[in-house]
Amino acid sequence: MHPIIKLSDNAASRIKEIMSGVESNSIGVRVAVKSGGCAGMSYVMEYAKEINPSDEIIEDKGVKVFVDAAAVMYLLGTEMDYKKEEFSSSFVFNNPNESERCGCGESFKV
């Protein structure tokens, strides 16, 4: 079985960096999917302060990622990466389940 999400080295390093400067009551990051955007769905990342009973917990490269249960079917096999360019930086989801992505890259369709 494929992992729900795997982290690139860049993503794991950036999450560790972010978590080192955040409030001590955050235990990791939560990834979810919500309706919205021009293609229909968007990725959501936020600090996880507690474990929800339905969360899938991914531990990869020393980082804890909590995946919202409703997002699992959309994220199976996804790699989370972190890209830093001259004028911007962002987490990027390389999702094999996507059938379409909007032009700005903020939303997707399965």
Side-chain angles (χ1 to χ4, degrees):
M1 183 173 168
H2 293 284
I4 298 167
I5 287 184
K6 60 184 175 184
L7 303 176
S8 70
D9 291 339
N10 288 342
S13 294
R14 182 61 180 144
I15 291 171
K16 286 178 189 175
E17 185 181 327
I18 290 169
M19 294 303 295
S20 71
V22 88
E23 308 158 12
S24 62
N25 63 346
S26 293
I27 57 174
V29 294
R30 177 167 285 109
V31 176
V33 172
K34 70 174 185 174
S35 295
C38 40
M41 303 177 95
S42 300
Y43 298 104
V44 178
M45 280 185 70
E46 61 188 11
Y47 295 113
K49 297 188 185 314
E50 61 185 24
I51 300 171
N52 293 335
S54 59
D55 281 344
E56 292 286 337
I57 303 168
I58 310 299
E59 293 190 52
D60 190 13
K61 298 177 177 72
V63 174
K64 282 190 180 180
V65 178
F66 301 89
V67 180
D68 180 71
V72 169
M73 68 181 173
Y74 301 110
L75 297 175
L76 279 173
T78 297
E79 180 190 47
M80 186 187 335
D81 195 8
Y82 179 73
K83 302 273 185 191
K84 188 170 184 178
E85 297 174 356
E86 190 173 350
F87 294 110
S88 67
S89 61
S90 63
F91 285 97
V92 177
F93 293 86
N94 299 311
N95 187 339
N97 304 303
E98 287 181 12
S99 62
E100 187 178 317
R101 184 177 277 243
C102 71
C104 64
E106 294 294 318
S107 64
F108 69 99
K109 182 186 284 186
V110 176

